[in-house]
Amino acid sequence: MSPAIKKILKPPYHACRALCQKIILISKKLILQHKRNTQKNKTISDIVQKHKSYTLFITHHLGGGTQQYVENYLNDKKNVLLLYNISYYNVDLCYCIKNVASREQALIKPEAFFLHDLKLAAIRINSLVSFSSIDMLLQKICAYKKKYSNCITECCIHDFHALCPNINLLANNTFCNLECTAHSCTFQENISIGDWRTTWGTLFSCIDVIICFSTSSKELFLRAYPSIPQDKVAVVPHDMSFSHFTPIKGLEMLPLHVGFIGAVANIHKGRTVVQHLLNALNESIPVSFIGAVKKDFKTSRNRVTFTGFYEHDNLQRIIEKEQITLVVFPSICPETFSYVISELQQMELPIICLNVGAQAEKVRVYHKGIVCNNMQEIAEIINAMEEKNS
C-alpha cells in the first residue's frame, strides 16, 4: 500500500482498505465538483433565506449504513442545511453546505466557516468520519450552543468514532472492548486516546442529546464517557419502514445451506471467521456469498457460490434463488444497529452471530437466532445441524 494511502488510515491499514478506496474515489469526484462550483462563488448567505431557521445536518459522504440513515432522515424534513467535507489525503479542503430544499450549495474553507452566520433551530452531528478539522468544528458548535441555548444540539453514534479514532474498536484484529491500557494502539498525528475523548467529551457536555441506535452502543458509550448523565443518551433504533422484505416460506423444507451477506471480506466484518468456517464446515454443506467475490477467499470447497455485489431491493430474491436457510453474521466488531440483521429478521431467516454489539443484542432475542462465543462454536453448531438432518 502506498505511503499516501497510509496517511489516510490508522493501523492496522488492511482493516480499513475498503474504506480507504471509497475515500479516494469520492474525494476525487468531490474535488472535481469543487473546482466547477468555485467558479460560481456562492456564499452561505446566497443559499439561505434570512427569515427561516434551519437544521444543520453534519455528516460524511462515504455511503454505507450511515448514508441510508441520511436519506431516510432527509426524506421528510424541511429547512435542512446539509454539511459535508471535501477532503483529500486526510485534509479538509472545504466544507460543502447544501440547502436540501433548493439544492443550492456553497463551498467554504473550514477556518472561514462560522455558525453565527446561520439562524439555526437545531444542529445534528451525524458522523465526522473522514473530517480532519474535528477539534475546530466541535469548538464552533459548542460556542454556538453557548450563545444560542435554544438551538437543539444532537450527536448520533453510527459508529465508535467519538470513542476512539479506530472507529471499529479493533486492536490487533480483535474487539478491544475499550480496554485501552491493555493495547498499544497508535493514531494519526500521535493523538492520545485521552486527548481524543477530551475533545469529544467537551462536545457531549454542552449538547442536548446523544443518540444511540442500540442499547449495547449506549453501554459502550457510557463506559468511555462515564461522566455523561445516562438520561442524556437516548436509544432510538433506526426506522426500517423503507425495507419491505417478507417472510420466506418453506425454509424448513429445504436442506441446510449457509449464507454470508455483505462485505464479509473486510477484517472487521469477519473475514477471519468466514475463512475458518470455509475450512471447518462439513464439505457437504453448501455455502453462498452475497456481496463478496471469489478472489476474497481461498477455499478448495466444491459447493461454494459467489453471487457478487447486489442491489438492496434484490437481496431477498437472491437469497430465495440460492435457497439459503441459515445466515452467518460474522462481524467481529460491535455493530451499532445492523440493517442487514433487521432485514434478515423480516425474512424470518435463522441467524448466527458472535456475542458482541448490536448484532448479539438483536439475535439473542430473535426466535430464530443463535449467539456464539467464538468461531469454533459456530462451526460446531452448523455441523451438528447438518448431521442431525442427514
Side-chain angles (χ1 to χ4, degrees):
M1 187 176 293
S2 73
I5 290 179
K6 288 184 178 181
K7 289 181 181 179
I8 295 178
L9 301 177
K10 44 201 171 295
Y13 303 121
H14 59 273
C16 301
R17 186 178 292 118
L19 176 60
C20 167
Q21 293 170 345
K22 185 176 289 187
I23 290 172
I24 291 293
L25 290 173
I26 292 174
S27 294
K28 288 180 178 178
K29 291 179 181 179
L30 292 176
I31 287 168
L32 290 175
Q33 177 184 326
H34 175 210
K35 290 179 178 178
R36 289 194 299 268
N37 290 338
T38 47
Q39 297 176 358
K40 300 177 183 179
N41 201 31
K42 284 192 175 183
T43 64
I44 292 179
S45 60
D46 293 327
I47 67 169
V48 299
Q49 298 180 32
K50 291 183 178 180
H51 68 280
K52 285 187 177 181
S53 294
Y54 292 88
T55 293
L56 180 65
F57 189 89
I58 307 171
T59 192
H60 65 61
H61 214 58
L62 302 176
T66 302
Q67 184 61 34
Q68 181 65 66
Y69 177 82
V70 172
E71 293 173 3
N72 293 344
Y73 178 86
L74 297 178
N75 188 46
D76 60 351
K77 296 293 188 301
K78 297 180 180 180
N79 301 331
V80 175
L81 298 175
L82 179 66
L83 184 154
Y84 58 87
N85 63 324
I86 297 177
S87 63
Y88 195 60
Y89 291 110
N90 203 37
V91 175
D92 290 340
L93 299 179
C94 64
Y95 294 153
C96 178
I97 300 95
K98 181 179 180 179
N99 186 320
V100 175
S102 68
R103 297 188 177 182
E104 293 180 296
Q105 61 186 36
L107 295 155
I108 188 168
K109 291 183 178 180
E111 61 271 17
F113 174 62
F114 297 103
L115 287 171
H116 298 289
D117 294 337
L118 298 168
K119 185 180 180 182
L120 300 175
I123 300 172
R124 174 167 289 207
I125 304 168
N126 192 56
S127 177
L128 297 187
V129 172
S130 81
F131 280 70
S132 66
S133 51
I134 291 176
D135 189 43
M136 179 172 57
L137 182 56
L138 296 187
Q139 286 180 28
K140 291 180 178 181
I141 292 170
C142 288
Y144 191 93
K145 176 63 176 175
K146 186 176 181 179
K147 184 173 182 179
Y148 302 101
S149 58
N150 290 334
C151 177
I152 300 170
T153 50
E154 304 168 321
C155 183
C156 299
I157 307 299
H158 286 287
D159 47 53
F160 298 105
H161 186 227
L163 280 63
C164 178
N166 285 339
I167 63 174
N168 299 312
L169 300 184
L170 293 188
N172 300 318
N173 294 336
T174 59
F175 171 44
C176 72
N177 200 27
L178 295 183
E179 296 171 350
C180 299
T181 57
H183 304 284
S184 55
C185 299
T186 56
F187 310 117
Q188 293 176 358
E189 300 176 359
N190 295 318
I191 189 172
S192 70
I193 191 66
D195 291 341
W196 184 262
R197 290 182 186 164
T198 296
T199 296
W200 282 92
T202 301
L203 172 81
F204 296 138
S205 296
C206 79
I207 67 175
D208 298 302
V209 183
I210 297 102
I211 300 172
C212 291
F213 303 101
S214 62
T215 300
S216 64
S217 295
K218 177 177 179 176
E219 291 171 352
L220 281 170
F221 177 88
L222 290 172
R223 283 176 55 197
Y225 297 99
S227 63
I228 302 298
Q230 292 192 28
D231 58 2
K232 198 174 188 178
V233 187
V235 177
V236 185
H238 289 307
D239 178 13
M240 291 297 298
S241 61
F242 72 93
S243 181
H244 303 289
F245 297 124
T246 57
I248 297 176
K249 298 179 181 179
L251 283 172
E252 65 282 354
M253 305 298 293
L254 297 173
L256 179 64
H257 188 137
V258 173
F260 297 99
I261 315 294
V264 296
N266 294 330
I267 291 293
H268 66 285
K269 291 296 186 181
R271 180 185 181 89
T272 54
V273 176
V274 175
Q275 191 63 64
H276 172 79
L277 294 178
L278 287 174
N279 297 330
L281 293 181
N282 294 341
E283 183 64 35
S284 56
I285 300 174
V287 176
S288 290
F289 289 84
I290 303 176
V293 293
K294 189 173 183 179
K295 66 179 182 179
D296 290 332
F297 295 99
K298 294 180 180 180
T299 180
S300 59
R301 297 179 70 90
N302 293 320
R303 305 186 69 184
V304 180
T305 302
F306 293 87
T307 67
F309 300 108
Y310 66 96
E311 295 291 336
H312 172 266
D313 292 343
N314 293 332
L315 179 58
Q316 182 164 346
R317 179 185 62 79
I318 298 171
I319 288 174
E320 290 178 340
K321 181 180 179 181
E322 292 296 310
Q323 296 189 326
I324 293 170
T325 60
L326 172 68
V327 174
V328 177
F329 189 88
S331 180
I332 62 174
C333 71
E335 301 287 338
T336 58
F337 177 76
S338 182
Y339 283 103
V340 170
I341 284 184
S342 297
E343 292 159 358
L344 296 173
Q345 288 176 331
Q346 288 179 338
M347 301 179 215
E348 295 193 1
L349 274 162
I351 307 168
I352 295 182
C353 74
L354 292 170
N355 189 18
V356 61
Q359 60 266 48
E361 180 182 327
K362 285 173 175 285
V363 173
R364 188 176 292 112
V365 296
Y366 176 49
H367 69 290
K368 291 186 177 181
I370 301 173
V371 177
C372 296
N373 292 315
N374 52 61
M375 56 190 178
Q376 291 81 10
E377 189 176 327
I378 295 176
E380 290 170 3
I381 289 174
I382 296 175
N383 285 333
M385 287 180 178
E386 195 263 346
E387 291 163 5
K388 181 180 179 180
N389 295 330
S390 60

